[in-house]
Amino acid sequence: MKIQLALDRMEIDEAIELTRKVEQSVDWIEVGTSLIKEYGVKSIQEIKQAFPNKPVVADIKTIDNARYEFEMCYQAGADVATVMGVSPLVTMDVCMEVAKEYNKQVMIDLLNTTEQQKLALQKYMDAIFCVHVSKDQQEQLGSFNTGMGLKNFYTPSMKIAAAGGISLASLETVTAALHPSIVIIGSAITKAENPTEAANQIKQCILQMKVV
């Protein structure tokens, strides 16, 4: 199971400095939506240049204009780009097509996606599916709801990512419920008093669970 570090609501230099502190404990680096919105593709370029050996995820949250946005992310150095699961299937088709052309990956964010749409998304088996509790939901409703997202949808061959306020305390519960290949962790590391120690504790917890 991979740890994807989510970098949001900070400056690019701050994001790079923080990532250097936890680099040994994280596997993937996410350039968060707020970084991309504030600094554009420069945020993707600089983080990929700083960490060339780490897969970089551009959390662009595409919902339309897919070719333009995905090419922009991939050309800036992203290895993975995100598209919202609520997008029209024609948009999803374009995302998958562009990813194939660039030999990159697609992550489909299932936030607010209906059960009917999820079933339609099952054909995109090369994608990573992200079960996501939004920031606003976390602030209003509390912790990650492990019962959401996968009923009548999950198949064993799917690659699942989990995101939404995941911490050391909730990691085992989330893992048991969703069996993710990737856990996306932001504030539990980035806002910790000691980010290096927090990231290492999460990494050690995963190793002790023998989840690979």
Side-chain angles (χ1 to χ4, degrees), residues 92-139:
M92 214 69 63
D93 290 340
V94 174
C95 290
M96 300 302 295
E97 179 182 318
V98 175
K100 186 175 181 180
E101 290 172 6
Y102 281 81
N103 195 28
K104 304 290 188 178
Q105 290 184 277
V106 175
M107 183 178 289
I108 300 175
D109 189 326
L110 298 176
L111 179 65
N112 214 37
T113 305
T114 65
E115 294 302 316
Q116 181 178 359
Q117 177 80 344
K118 286 176 188 173
L119 293 175
L121 295 174
Q122 285 181 323
K123 67 178 181 176
Y124 302 109
M125 293 309 298
D126 290 336
I128 303 162
F129 293 92
C130 180
V131 181
H132 183 193
V133 179
S134 74
K135 184 68 175 175
D136 292 336
Q137 285 176 299
Q138 292 172 49
E139 292 175 351

